[in-house]
Amino acid sequence: MSKKNMQVHENLTKKYGEFFCASPWNSLHEGPEGLTSTCCKTRVPIGYSTKNSYEEMYNSEHAKSVRKDFLEGKKPQQCSACWDLETDGKPSLNRVHGNTMSTEKVIDDLVAATDKDGTLHKHKPEWLDMLWTSKCNFACLGCSPDLSSTINNKYKKEFAILHGGNMRKYFPDMTNWDNGSQHKIDYILKHSDTIRSIHLNGGEPFMNQDTYELLEELLKRGLHKKIQIWSHTNGSITKSYKGADIVEDYLVHWGQNAKVTMSNDGFGAMGEYIRWGYKDKKWLSTYEKVRDSGVVLTIQTCWNIFNSLYIEEMGEWFLDNCKWAPFNPPFDKPDGSLTIWMDYSVCPDMLNYIPELKQQGINSLKNTLKNRNHPLSWTENLNRWIDWLEGPSRKNLQANAYSLEGKVDNLKDWFNGCTALDQKRGTNLCRDIPRLAPLYELGKEVVN
């Protein structure tokens, strides 16, 4: 994260408490089947867009309770995903993002208009995080049936095994959902004076016609000059609805006011294993198209057990294959982030089962940091994840949940899940990601 962003975050936490997050005041996240929450890191609903207006949801009992806790200097229980990520005194990236997507002047005004019980008397949305559909042609191992129709339709049983879920309790009634666009469009147009940025997410948002309908409406009204569009994509699609090209026919009009983040968790056979549906050639072709369009382009890589021993090679691959984007200074590297998969059985903490593998994972991070062969914004992330594996704050959890003397359920789930996926997909973990073979063999020994 940039020094500028950290300064904004620090300004707000000094004013309103060290745990403060602005998201419950001027942001929202609309997710699967209309479930709306204060941000993307919590699935506790403030309401459902299928039943309530966004304005109503801002003052639901849950929304008020979260604001009340923040103003009292407490950590809302519903925000546990962020607290789990805050190690060794470092704020979670999502909380920093929630604060930096806000304008200090607006937040000050909104906090001043908030009662002690959390009731908010003004409505000034700035940042909208909107999922449009579960339609997705990928089945990424850190994902789930509510965010991928491919997982829901083809691999639900195998993913339930991998993530330790009982099939009867693992998204049992999940549909292939589509939230629609008209209510979003109406809300955005109504509040276009304060909305600064819209995140288009999925599923795969480039597959959904509602994404195109929103962009069309914003273009008609000249709002592409004011409202930033940010979208994540798996990099496999640019043409979809009525043959339109979302980059060349739409986002190009936003220029640097549009940002496309392309997910990539590994290259070659490793990448295909982790993100089922991924191909190097197609991804690089999309990368070049987006780069050449003039929009801001970044890469998101999720650090996980499958790629944790290959971070050094991945950094080098990005530098070798992803030519610099003209609007990502200093013009000699692609930009990107290194985030994390937190689900227990796919988290990098799995390396703790074999101390030698854990050290290899730490060395991979340290070597990447030392040689600087990585996307621009990885530096802060690399330091964070080095601390994650060898810092003091997670020692007890690692010993209890990721050791043969502690809990072996995560290892069993991982082994059984990979085995089931290999049988279903025709893949082979030890062939495609050979450095994980010792962990796979240990899992087999424990299970048998």
Side-chain angles (χ1 to χ4, degrees):
M1 70 189 73
S2 69
K3 291 182 179 180
K4 180 180 178 182
N5 285 350
M6 275 306 299
Q7 186 60 58
V8 173
H9 170 76
E10 290 171 3
N11 289 347
L12 289 177
T13 53
K14 284 178 182 177
K15 286 181 184 178
Y16 303 118
E18 62 176 310
F19 306 125
F20 183 80
C21 178
S23 292
W25 273 267
N26 71 341
S27 161
L28 60 83
H29 171 84
E30 183 187 326
E33 298 180 317
L35 187 155
T36 303
S37 56
T38 55
C39 80
C40 67
K41 294 302 289 184
T42 175
R43 296 291 175 87
V44 181
I46 61 174
Y48 289 84
S49 63
T50 54
K51 303 176 183 177
N52 317 104
S53 71
Y54 294 130
E55 289 89 347
E56 290 171 338
M57 289 187 274
Y58 260 94
N59 272 320
S60 70
E61 290 304 312
H62 171 55
K64 290 193 292 185
S65 72
V66 174
R67 288 193 291 269
K68 179 176 182 290
D69 281 350
F70 277 130
L71 291 180
E72 292 177 351
K74 299 176 182 178
K75 292 181 175 181
Q77 182 180 356
Q78 301 91 333
C79 303
S80 60
C82 271
W83 312 135
D84 290 344
L85 283 166
E86 300 202 350
T87 60
D88 299 325
K90 296 183 177 68
S92 76
L93 298 177
N94 287 84
R95 191 158 66 92
V96 174
H97 181 267
N99 284 335
T100 56
M101 286 306 296
S102 307
T103 304
E104 285 187 67
K105 182 178 179 181
V106 171
I107 287 299
D108 289 342
D109 188 30
L110 291 174
V111 171
T114 305
D115 292 342
K116 289 183 178 180
D117 69 349
T119 300
L120 180 62
H121 293 284
K122 289 188 177 181
H123 193 73
K124 294 184 177 182
E126 290 188 280
W127 157 247
L128 306 180
D129 190 4
M130 294 182 159
L131 276 69
W132 299 82
T133 178
S134 64
K135 186 185 297 184
C136 185
N137 55 337
F138 276 27
C140 304
L141 297 183
C143 195
S144 50
D146 57 333
L147 298 176
S148 167
S149 57
T150 299
I151 296 174
N152 198 41
N153 295 337
K154 295 183 178 181
Y155 301 106
K156 191 172 180 179
K157 177 182 177 182
E158 292 74 22
F159 272 67
I161 297 170
L162 176 65
H163 293 282
N166 183 307
M167 268 300 292
R168 289 176 296 177
K169 298 180 180 179
Y170 187 72
F171 299 94
D173 303 314
M174 183 50 56
T175 62
N176 294 332
W177 53 270
D178 184 336
N179 285 341
S181 64
Q182 194 56 54
H183 66 291
K184 294 186 180 75
I185 292 172
D186 292 343
Y187 179 75
I188 291 166
L189 296 181
K190 181 179 178 181
H191 297 285
S192 61
D193 58 328
T194 61
I195 293 173
R196 297 169 55 240
S197 186
I198 302 171
H199 186 208
L200 310 178
N201 215 334
E204 172 49 52
F206 288 6
M207 293 179 69
N208 188 41
Q209 74 177 59
D210 294 331
T211 303
Y212 298 78
E213 291 175 358
L214 171 65
L215 297 178
E216 185 71 33
E217 290 295 327
L218 295 179
L219 276 173
K220 284 180 183 177
R221 292 163 173 79
L223 291 172
H224 61 292
K225 299 176 182 179
K226 176 185 179 295
I227 298 176
Q228 181 200 48
I229 292 295
W230 177 25
S231 188
H232 275 71
T233 176
N234 62 34
S236 67
I237 291 172
T238 57
K239 288 187 177 181
S240 183
Y241 178 56
K242 295 183 178 180
D245 188 300
I246 195 167
V247 176
E248 296 180 349
D249 296 333
Y250 289 95
L251 295 181
V252 68
H253 297 288
W254 269 259
Q256 294 183 62
N257 207 28
K259 177 180 177 180
V260 173
T261 297
M262 293 180 57
S263 300
N264 188 311
D265 299 331
F267 58 90
M270 175 178 62
E272 294 176 25
Y273 193 96
I274 299 170
R275 304 181 68 241
W276 189 243
Y278 168 86
K279 299 292 181 183
D280 284 345
K281 185 177 179 180
K282 177 59 183 174
W283 190 91
L284 288 169
S285 174
T286 302
Y287 182 92
E288 291 175 3
K289 173 183 281 191
V290 177
R291 180 199 67 208
D292 294 344
S293 72
V295 306
V296 177
L297 173 61
T298 62
I299 305 164
Q300 181 180 40
T301 300
C302 291
W303 183 49
N304 58 71
I305 182 55
F306 299 100
N307 63 21
S308 58
L309 302 177
Y310 295 85
I311 297 301
E312 186 175 4
E313 289 86 348
M314 289 178 61
E316 293 172 351
W317 188 86
F318 289 134
L319 294 194
D320 290 341
N321 291 277
C322 302
K323 297 177 182 179
W324 56 268
F327 301 112
N328 290 341
F331 309 129
D332 61 346
K333 289 184 178 182
D335 200 0
S337 60
L338 186 63
T339 57
I340 187 173
W341 282 353
M342 278 293 289
D343 286 1
Y344 280 110
S345 58
V346 295
C347 179
D349 280 328
M350 291 286 293
L351 293 173
N352 285 279
Y353 281 112
I354 301 180
E356 294 81 7
L357 285 189
K358 176 180 178 178
Q359 190 57 54
Q360 289 177 33
I362 293 171
N363 291 343
S364 183
L365 294 169
K366 288 184 174 179
N367 290 340
T368 307
L369 184 63
K370 181 180 179 180
N371 63 35
R372 299 183 180 181
N373 290 334
H374 58 74
L376 280 172
S377 299
W378 273 24
T379 300
E380 193 277 338
N381 302 144
L382 289 164
N383 280 309
R384 181 181 291 263
W385 305 136
I386 291 168
D387 287 345
W388 184 272
L389 283 181
E390 67 176 7
S393 64
R394 295 180 58 79
K395 291 293 185 184
N396 289 338
L397 184 147
Q398 292 166 351
N400 294 329
Y402 296 98
S403 72
L404 297 181
E405 292 74 32
K407 184 178 180 180
V408 295
D409 290 356
N410 296 322
L411 180 58
K412 290 180 178 179
D413 293 339
W414 181 78
F415 171 80
N416 288 329
C418 291
T419 300
L421 283 164
D422 284 349
Q423 292 173 348
K424 183 71 172 285
R425 305 186 311 186
T427 51
N428 184 308
L429 176 88
C430 297
R431 177 196 65 209
D432 297 338
I433 312 179
R435 292 179 193 172
L436 284 179
L439 187 63
Y440 187 82
E441 292 303 319
L442 179 63
K444 181 189 295 185
E445 181 180 332
V446 169
V447 168
N448 295 332

